[in-house]
Amino acid sequence: MIGIAVVGYGYWGPNLVRNIMDLPDARLVYVCDLAVDKLSGVKARYPGVEVTTDFDEILRDPRVQAVAIATPVSSHFKLALKAMMAGKHVFVEKPMAASVEEARRMVDEANRRGLVLAVDHTFVHTGAVRKMRDIVQSDFGDMYYYDSVRVNLGLFQRDVSVVWDLAVHDLAIMDYVLAEKPVAVSATGIGHISGQPENIAYLTLFFESKLIAHVHVNWLAPVKIRRTLVGGSARMIVYDDLEPSEKIKVYDKGITLNDGPVNAADEAYQMMVGYRIGDMHAPQLDMREALATELREFVQSIQDHTQPTVDGMAGVRVVSILEAATQSITQRGRIIELEQSRLIA
Ligand SMILES: NC(=O)c1ccc[n+]([C@@H]2O[C@H](COP(=O)([O-])OP(=O)(O)OC[C@H]3O[C@@H](n4cnc5c(N)ncnc54)[C@H](O)[C@@H]3O)[C@@H](O)[C@H]2O)c1
């Protein structure tokens, strides 16, 4: 039985708590939050769980082997490092840290101490994204594009821009689904509220091959859209996360190219584009809650001394792109090369 403490009981923390309560091999020992009013809600709902505003109390307690961190991004590094220095395994919310430097130091600390460091890239553990990876990496042909729209009204975050809050999901999905890592990023964005970071942004990712990715994120949209198109030479996918059941639709559509002489005499050649319109199917998906799957895997990784699917290096790769995109935004979309050494696991 692995003893776990959840730190941060705001919007997302309650989801961690609910899922940890259901894990067969774990026991939720504490919930910690700086806000006392948040903790009274925990006591009422889970009387057997201890509450505290003192993070150090958790670290001193030998019943706690792991800490799950769901506090604002700016606090992840300090809390995670302190937890690991006290010998605790860490499950940390996305994005894992506020800079590559912090993220790397977290990975180093976990490696040095032989601790599990898992990052909550939630979508990676959904049936839809797992199915998408299966299809993309088996019968997709050449990868052409990943094109995503992730917009809604709010929730404005205090300490991060919309890129670090929403685009992070697409970067995590791409890191898991695509066989290739991006080599450069260009981003533009604007904040409409004075003193606040960007609330709308457009990211373009470049790859060594002819694959291109675009991500559009916005906290000021009148409707919620979670729609991704993934195109390859053999198949195309529409992934709509708001669809209740048929979240993934796989299209057998594409183009066929035929070389044909326009005029055999002058040896000029014209490319003939034909269109292939085949069937669409919506595969069966595992509809279990992603957080349940990944928290179970986190506990298993601690017990078996194995790496989780989304380990610290996956977190570093995503933060590298977030950092480069932020730099690009300040320079109106200048292309920023991504250091390959940071992106290779
Ligand atoms: N995986 C997902 O899909 C998903 C969804 C939403 C949020 N998140 C992530 O979860 C994290 C928290 O986001 P949120 O929306 O719940 O924020 P929030 O502001 O609603 O909640 C954060 C909570 O942490 C508490 N807190 C702050 N500093 C603390 C500290 N030092 N010790 C203890 N408690 C502290 C605050 O009092 C607050 O209750 C962020 O990293 C965010 O990106 C992930």
Side-chain angles (χ1 to χ4, degrees), residues 7-13 32-35 38 53 55 69-73 75-76 79 93-95 120-123 155 157-158 164-165 169:
V7 188
Y9 197 75
Y11 168 70
W12 195 249
C32 169
D33 199 296
L34 295 178
K38 301 268 173 61
T53 54
F55 185 59
I69 299 170
T71 57
V73 182
S75 61
H76 290 179
L79 294 172
E93 270 312 315
K94 62 82 192 164
D120 182 10
H121 289 173
T122 316
F123 283 99
L155 298 166
Q157 301 288 309
R158 261 163 292 172
W164 290 71
D165 183 49
H169 289 305

Side-chain angles (χ1 to χ4, degrees), residues 107 119 134 187 190 198 246 291 297 303:
V107 171
V119 183
D134 288 349
I190 289 286
E198 295 76 27
E246 297 182 347
L291 261 185
E297 191 204 51
Q303 289 171 328

Side-chain angles (χ1 to χ4, degrees), residues 17 22 34 38 46-47 132 144 175 190 206 223 231 234 242 306 330:
V17 166
D22 284 344
L34 295 178
K38 301 268 173 61
Y46 307 104
M132 200 151 74
Y144 288 165
D175 187 69
I190 289 286
F206 302 94
V223 291
L242 301 185
T306 52
T330 62

